[in-house]
CSV table of all heavy atoms in Angstrom, one decimal:
chain,number,residue,atom,x,y,z
A,1,LEU,N,0.8,-1.2,0.0
A,1,LEU,CA,0.0,0.0,0.0
A,1,LEU,C,0.9,1.3,0.0
A,1,LEU,O,0.4,2.4,0.3
A,1,LEU,CB,-0.9,0.0,1.2
A,1,LEU,CG,-2.0,-1.1,1.2
A,1,LEU,CD1,-2.8,-1.0,2.6
A,1,LEU,CD2,-3.0,-0.8,0.1
A,2,ALA,N,2.1,1.1,-0.3
A,2,ALA,CA,3.1,2.3,-0.3
A,2,ALA,C,2.6,3.3,-1.3
A,2,ALA,O,2.7,4.5,-1.1
A,2,ALA,CB,4.5,1.8,-0.6
A,3,ALA,N,2.2,2.9,-2.5
A,3,ALA,CA,1.8,3.8,-3.6
A,3,ALA,C,0.6,4.6,-3.1
A,3,ALA,O,0.5,5.9,-3.3
A,3,ALA,CB,1.5,3.1,-4.9
A,4,GLU,N,-0.4,4.0,-2.5
A,4,GLU,CA,-1.6,4.7,-2.0
A,4,GLU,C,-1.2,5.7,-0.9
A,4,GLU,O,-1.7,6.8,-0.9
A,4,GLU,CB,-2.6,3.7,-1.4
A,4,GLU,CG,-3.4,3.0,-2.5
A,4,GLU,CD,-2.6,1.8,-3.2
A,4,GLU,OE1,-1.4,1.6,-2.7
A,4,GLU,OE2,-3.1,1.2,-4.1
A,5,ALA,N,-0.2,5.3,0.0
A,5,ALA,CA,0.2,6.2,1.0
A,5,ALA,C,0.9,7.4,0.5
A,5,ALA,O,0.7,8.6,0.9
A,5,ALA,CB,1.2,5.5,2.0
A,6,LYS,N,1.7,7.2,-0.6
A,6,LYS,CA,2.3,8.3,-1.2
A,6,LYS,C,1.4,9.3,-1.9
A,6,LYS,O,1.5,10.5,-1.9
A,6,LYS,CB,3.4,7.8,-2.2
A,6,LYS,CG,4.2,8.9,-2.9
A,6,LYS,CD,5.3,8.3,-3.8
A,6,LYS,CE,6.2,9.4,-4.4
A,6,LYS,NZ,7.2,8.9,-5.2
A,7,THR,N,0.4,8.7,-2.6
A,7,THR,CA,-0.7,9.5,-3.2
A,7,THR,C,-1.4,10.4,-2.3
A,7,THR,O,-1.7,11.6,-2.6
A,7,THR,CB,-1.7,8.6,-3.9
A,7,THR,OG1,-1.0,7.8,-4.9
A,7,THR,CG2,-2.8,9.4,-4.6
A,8,LEU,N,-1.6,9.9,-1.1
A,8,LEU,CA,-2.3,10.7,0.0
A,8,LEU,C,-1.4,11.5,0.8
A,8,LEU,O,-1.9,12.2,1.7
A,8,LEU,CB,-3.1,9.7,0.8
A,8,LEU,CG,-4.3,9.0,0.2
A,8,LEU,CD1,-4.9,7.9,1.1
A,8,LEU,CD2,-5.4,10.0,-0.3
A,9,GLY,N,-0.1,11.4,0.6
A,9,GLY,CA,0.8,12.2,1.4
A,9,GLY,C,0.9,11.7,2.8
A,9,GLY,O,1.1,12.5,3.8
A,10,LEU,N,0.8,10.4,3.0
A,10,LEU,CA,0.8,9.9,4.4
A,10,LEU,C,2.2,9.5,4.9
A,10,LEU,O,2.3,9.0,6.1
A,10,LEU,CB,-0.1,8.6,4.4
A,10,LEU,CG,-1.5,8.7,4.1
A,10,LEU,CD1,-2.3,7.4,4.2
A,10,LEU,CD2,-2.2,9.8,4.9
A,11,GLU,N,3.2,9.8,4.1
A,11,GLU,CA,4.6,9.4,4.5
A,11,GLU,C,5.0,9.9,5.9
A,11,GLU,O,5.5,9.1,6.7
A,11,GLU,CB,5.6,9.8,3.5
A,11,GLU,CG,5.5,9.1,2.2
A,11,GLU,CD,4.8,10.0,1.1
A,11,GLU,OE1,3.9,10.7,1.6
A,11,GLU,OE2,5.1,9.9,0.0
A,12,PRO,N,4.7,11.2,6.3
A,12,PRO,CA,5.1,11.7,7.6
A,12,PRO,C,4.4,10.9,8.7
A,12,PRO,O,5.0,10.6,9.8
A,12,PRO,CB,4.7,13.1,7.6
A,12,PRO,CG,4.6,13.5,6.1
A,12,PRO,CD,4.2,12.3,5.4
A,13,TYR,N,3.1,10.6,8.5
A,13,TYR,CA,2.4,9.8,9.5
A,13,TYR,C,3.0,8.4,9.7
A,13,TYR,O,3.2,7.9,10.8
A,13,TYR,CB,0.9,9.6,9.1
A,13,TYR,CG,0.1,10.9,9.1
A,13,TYR,CD1,-0.2,11.5,7.9
A,13,TYR,CD2,-0.4,11.4,10.2
A,13,TYR,CE1,-1.0,12.7,7.8
A,13,TYR,CE2,-1.2,12.6,10.2
A,13,TYR,CZ,-1.5,13.2,9.0
A,13,TYR,OH,-2.2,14.3,9.0
A,14,VAL,N,3.3,7.8,8.5
A,14,VAL,CA,3.8,6.4,8.6
A,14,VAL,C,5.2,6.4,9.2
A,14,VAL,O,5.4,5.5,10.1
A,14,VAL,CB,3.9,5.8,7.1
A,14,VAL,CG1,4.6,4.5,7.2
A,14,VAL,CG2,2.6,5.8,6.5
A,15,LYS,N,6.0,7.4,8.9
A,15,LYS,CA,7.3,7.4,9.5
A,15,LYS,C,7.2,7.6,11.1
A,15,LYS,O,7.9,7.0,11.8
A,15,LYS,CB,8.1,8.5,8.9
A,15,LYS,CG,9.6,8.6,9.4
A,15,LYS,CD,10.3,9.7,8.7
A,15,LYS,CE,11.8,9.8,9.2
A,15,LYS,NZ,12.5,10.9,8.5
A,16,HIS,N,6.4,8.6,11.4
A,16,HIS,CA,6.2,8.8,12.9
A,16,HIS,C,5.6,7.6,13.6
A,16,HIS,O,6.0,7.3,14.7
A,16,HIS,CB,5.3,10.1,13.1
A,16,HIS,CG,5.3,10.6,14.5
A,16,HIS,ND1,6.4,10.8,15.2
A,16,HIS,CD2,4.2,10.9,15.3
A,16,HIS,CE1,6.0,11.2,16.4
A,16,HIS,NE2,4.7,11.3,16.5
A,17,LEU,N,4.6,7.0,13.0
A,17,LEU,CA,4.0,5.8,13.6
A,17,LEU,C,5.0,4.7,13.8
A,17,LEU,O,5.0,4.0,14.8
A,17,LEU,CB,2.8,5.4,12.7
A,17,LEU,CG,1.8,4.4,13.3
A,17,LEU,CD1,1.2,5.0,14.6
A,17,LEU,CD2,0.7,4.1,12.3
A,18,HIS,N,5.8,4.5,12.8
A,18,HIS,CA,6.9,3.5,12.9
A,18,HIS,C,7.8,3.8,14.1
A,18,HIS,O,8.1,2.9,14.9
A,18,HIS,CB,7.7,3.4,11.6
A,18,HIS,CG,8.9,2.5,11.7
A,18,HIS,ND1,8.8,1.2,11.9
A,18,HIS,CD2,10.2,2.8,11.7
A,18,HIS,CE1,10.0,0.6,11.9
A,18,HIS,NE2,10.9,1.6,11.9
A,19,SER,N,8.2,5.0,14.2
A,19,SER,CA,9.1,5.4,15.3
A,19,SER,C,8.4,5.2,16.7
A,19,SER,O,9.0,4.7,17.6
A,19,SER,CB,9.5,6.9,15.2
A,19,SER,OG,10.3,7.3,16.3
A,20,LEU,N,7.1,5.6,16.8
A,20,LEU,CA,6.4,5.5,18.0
A,20,LEU,C,6.2,4.0,18.4
A,20,LEU,O,6.4,3.6,19.5
A,20,LEU,CB,5.1,6.2,17.9
A,20,LEU,CG,5.1,7.7,17.9
A,20,LEU,CD1,3.6,8.2,17.7
A,20,LEU,CD2,5.6,8.3,19.2
A,21,ASN,N,5.8,3.2,17.4
A,21,ASN,CA,5.5,1.8,17.7
A,21,ASN,C,6.8,1.0,18.0
A,21,ASN,O,6.7,0.1,18.8
A,21,ASN,CB,4.9,1.2,16.4
A,21,ASN,CG,4.1,-0.1,16.8
A,21,ASN,OD1,3.3,-0.1,17.7
A,21,ASN,ND2,4.3,-1.1,16.1
A,22,THR,N,7.9,1.5,17.5
A,22,THR,CA,9.2,0.8,17.9
A,22,THR,C,9.5,1.1,19.3
A,22,THR,O,9.9,0.2,20.1
A,22,THR,CB,10.3,1.3,17.0
A,22,THR,OG1,10.1,1.0,15.6
A,22,THR,CG2,11.7,0.7,17.4
A,23,ALA,N,9.3,2.4,19.7
A,23,ALA,CA,9.5,2.7,21.1
A,23,ALA,C,8.5,2.0,22.1
A,23,ALA,O,8.8,1.6,23.2
A,23,ALA,CB,9.4,4.2,21.3
A,24,PHE,N,7.3,1.9,21.6
A,24,PHE,CA,6.2,1.2,22.3
A,24,PHE,C,6.7,-0.3,22.5
A,24,PHE,O,6.5,-0.8,23.7
A,24,PHE,CB,4.9,1.3,21.5
A,24,PHE,CG,3.7,0.7,22.2
A,24,PHE,CD1,3.6,0.8,23.6
A,24,PHE,CD2,2.7,0.2,21.5
A,24,PHE,CE1,2.4,0.3,24.2
A,24,PHE,CE2,1.5,-0.3,22.1
A,24,PHE,CZ,1.4,-0.2,23.5
C-alpha cells in the first residue's frame, strides 16, 4: 500500500507511527 500512502501524502504519518511503535 506504499503507492496509496504516497498518493495521499501519508509518509510523515507512517514514519512517525513506525518510530512510536518501535519505542512502544
Side-chain angles (χ1 to χ4, degrees):
L1 292 174
E4 283 77 5
K6 185 175 182 179
T7 298
L8 293 172
L10 300 181
E11 294 99 326
Y13 294 103
V14 176
K15 184 177 180 180
H16 189 49
L17 195 55
H18 172 67
S19 176
L20 289 175
N21 202 48
T22 299
F24 187 31

